[in-house]
């Protein structure tokens, strides 16, 4: 079965950096768009970044976060820099089969999800 396993979360001071990883198995990695979403307590899950042939970022992270993928390792990464307390959330990796969709930012279009990794940024 398909598994997405995130790692790399933790506690960091404001201004610091973290790199999240998401290892995928059970799917043909190159046939999927990959994305990162996050959810803070009491808030809805929100789009962070996505990658297929191109990349897209939420305005709140543009210029600070970088998404990348390594098809040889079936892994997608999220390099996070200049972290802010408002970046504190549970970060989820998601996978979506290539196809016709209205938006790459809608979590409802993603078929597979990881369990999440916690990122906490202290002020």
């Amino acid at each position: 079965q398909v598994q997405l396993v995130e790692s790399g979360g933790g506690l960091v001071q404001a201004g610091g950096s973290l790199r999240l990883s998401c290892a995928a198995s059970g799917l043909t990695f190159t046939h999927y768009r990959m994305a990162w979403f996050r959810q803070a307590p009491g808030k809805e899950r929100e789009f962070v970044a996505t990658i297929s042939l191109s990349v897209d970022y939420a305005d709140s992270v543009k210029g600070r976060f970088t998404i990348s993928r390594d098809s040889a390792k079936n892994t997608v990464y999220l390099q996070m820099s200049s972290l802010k307390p408002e970046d504190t959330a549970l970060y989820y990796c998601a996978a979506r089969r290539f196809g016709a969709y209205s938006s790459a930012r809608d979590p409802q279009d993603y078929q597979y999800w990881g369990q999440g990794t916690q990122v906490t940024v202290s002020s």
Side-chain angles (χ1 to χ4, degrees):
Q1 72 276 22
V2 175
Q3 280 193 310
L4 302 178
V5 180
E6 301 100 333
S7 61
L11 173 63
V12 64
Q13 288 189 330
S17 299
L18 282 175
R19 188 176 83 154
L20 306 184
S21 300
C22 171
S25 60
L27 53 72
T28 304
F29 189 68
T30 53
H31 292 183
Y32 284 76
R33 170 180 289 277
M34 302 299 294
W36 289 95
F37 291 82
R38 67 187 182 186
Q39 188 167 17
K43 295 188 176 180
E44 291 188 355
R45 190 168 299 188
E46 66 172 359
F47 167 76
V48 175
T50 185
I51 184 168
S52 60
L53 298 179
S54 60
V55 298
D56 187 28
Y57 298 95
D59 287 345
S60 59
V61 307
K62 200 171 291 184
R64 300 187 298 120
F65 291 10
T66 301
I67 189 170
S68 61
R69 63 193 294 166
D70 184 338
S71 295
K73 296 181 178 180
N74 282 10
T75 300
V76 62
Y77 303 97
L78 185 68
Q79 177 67 49
M80 306 185 295
S81 303
S82 301
L83 282 161
K84 305 175 181 180
E86 50 263 44
D87 294 318
T88 295
L90 190 59
Y91 282 71
Y92 295 93
C93 173
R96 189 187 82 178
R97 285 185 216 94
F98 286 155
Y101 302 90
S102 59
S103 169
R105 298 183 173 203
D106 188 348
Q108 294 187 356
D109 288 337
Y110 285 77
Q111 290 90 16
Y112 302 108
W113 292 83
Q115 81 289 350
T117 185
Q118 179 68 38
V119 172
T120 302
V121 184
S122 64
S123 57

